[in-house]
Amino acid sequence: MTTRLSVNVNKVALLRNSREGEVPSPLEAARIALDAGAHGITVHPRPDERHVRRSDVLPLAELVREAAGGVAGEVEYNIEGNPFLGDYLAIAGEAKPDQCTLVPDDPAQKTSDHGWDLKRDAGRVKPVVEHLKALGCRVSLFMDPVIEQIELAPATGADRIELYTEGYARAIAAGSPEADRVHEQYAAAARRAQELGLGVNGGHDLNLENLGRFVSIGGILEVSIGHALTADALLHHGLAEAVRRYLAAMGQ
């Protein structure tokens, strides 16, 4: 099974938003990434539009549809966000992405930093999942590698989980014996999700140094990567070559 790479263009949009105008263009960045072999594009249109703006979402959807060439699953569009903030559901309704990744972030957070607490939130997440699936979207829930929480995900109707991988990345970077323990924690979480019939994605702080070991867990369907890939493109490789290197890190 090949793990698919979805390139998050939020940080390209962040750079654009620091000045007037449309440079650098998230749309052009997405086109370069897809031409270089990326399997999809991810955006996280937050209510404050500090990264991707609502006006970016539909042009990116059209680009992905053109790249897919009418073949389902060939190239996919993933829209992340908190369905209880701003107009996420309206955006999803307009764009009808292949996948909606539901993230319990708060406007005050710099970035997503925890998964869903389904012991608390499953009841209100379930009707959102039903609504999005009725639009034809696959639904993934952003989750910590906590088996007791993951075991509650099937009851929401979600198709997949996305493991929040900052803890994994931090442990690998430390280079200590703790890295093995944390790697097994994530592997066990992925195995349990798969046993429950859930697909498993991963994302957050994955980079060229830790990506290969993460996908070696097995059965990882997709990784969504933005920050590190954008930094590598800016400082070292250019965007197209950065995408190729991330694919190579996954054995592709």
Side-chain angles (χ1 to χ4, degrees), residues 160-225:
R160 297 186 184 184
I161 63 167
E162 178 178 319
L163 288 172
Y164 167 48
T165 51
E166 182 180 358
Y168 162 83
R170 192 185 311 116
I172 298 299
S176 66
E178 180 73 357
D180 293 334
R181 185 194 69 79
V182 172
H183 183 269
E184 177 52 33
Q185 178 188 14
Y186 277 82
R191 287 194 298 268
R192 184 60 180 139
Q194 292 157 357
E195 290 169 356
L196 294 166
L198 296 164
V200 180
N201 299 338
H204 206 93
D205 286 352
L206 295 174
N207 59 36
L208 288 172
E209 286 68 45
N210 61 39
L211 179 57
R213 187 172 183 184
F214 180 72
V215 300
S216 75
I217 285 172
I220 303 298
L221 299 176
E222 176 187 288
V223 290
S224 174
I225 305 179

Side-chain angles (χ1 to χ4, degrees), residues 1-3 211-213 215-216 244-252:
M1 186 213 72
T2 299
T3 303
L211 179 57
R213 187 172 183 184
V215 300
S216 75
R244 289 189 283 266
R245 288 180 182 239
Y246 275 80
L247 292 168
M250 297 191 293
Q252 300 176 35

Side-chain angles (χ1 to χ4, degrees), residues 27 32 36 54 104 147 213 227:
L27 187 66
I32 292 169
R54 181 167 182 162
I147 288 176
R213 187 172 183 184
H227 184 86

Side-chain angles (χ1 to χ4, degrees), residues 63-233:
L63 173 68
V64 172
R65 280 192 289 268
E66 289 176 2
V71 180
E74 181 70 17
V75 179
E76 294 193 343
Y77 194 28
N78 174 42
I79 300 182
E80 302 177 341
N82 189 327
F84 305 114
L85 294 177
D87 55 357
Y88 178 87
L89 292 179
I91 290 171
E94 292 176 13
K96 293 183 174 59
D98 302 280
Q99 179 171 266
C100 289
T101 299
L102 306 185
V103 181
D105 63 343
D106 181 273
Q109 294 172 216
K110 289 184 178 180
T111 186
S112 306
D113 63 9
H114 63 279
W116 287 99
D117 179 355
L118 293 181
K119 293 181 180 179
R120 181 190 65 200
D121 293 325
R124 66 178 187 145
V125 167
K126 183 177 180 180
V128 171
V129 172
E130 292 172 349
H131 171 77
L132 293 171
K133 291 179 73 170
L135 296 175
C137 306
R138 181 173 67 240
V139 179
S140 179
L141 302 181
F142 197 63
M143 300 293 295
D144 297 309
V146 177
I147 288 176
E148 294 79 5
Q149 289 283 353
I150 291 170
E151 289 175 335
L152 300 175
T156 69
D159 304 288
R160 297 186 184 184
I161 63 167
E162 178 178 319
L163 288 172
Y164 167 48
T165 51
E166 182 180 358
Y168 162 83
R170 192 185 311 116
I172 298 299
S176 66
E178 180 73 357
D180 293 334
R181 185 194 69 79
V182 172
H183 183 269
E184 177 52 33
Q185 178 188 14
Y186 277 82
R191 287 194 298 268
R192 184 60 180 139
Q194 292 157 357
E195 290 169 356
L196 294 166
L198 296 164
V200 180
N201 299 338
H204 206 93
D205 286 352
L206 295 174
N207 59 36
L208 288 172
E209 286 68 45
N210 61 39
L211 179 57
R213 187 172 183 184
F214 180 72
V215 300
S216 75
I217 285 172
I220 303 298
L221 299 176
E222 176 187 288
V223 290
S224 174
I225 305 179
H227 184 86
L229 193 152
T230 304
D232 285 332

Side-chain angles (χ1 to χ4, degrees), residues 14-23 53:
L14 177 66
L15 181 58
R16 175 201 60 189
N17 295 352
S18 68
R19 298 285 295 269
E20 297 294 330
E22 297 299 324
V23 177
R53 302 168 183 156

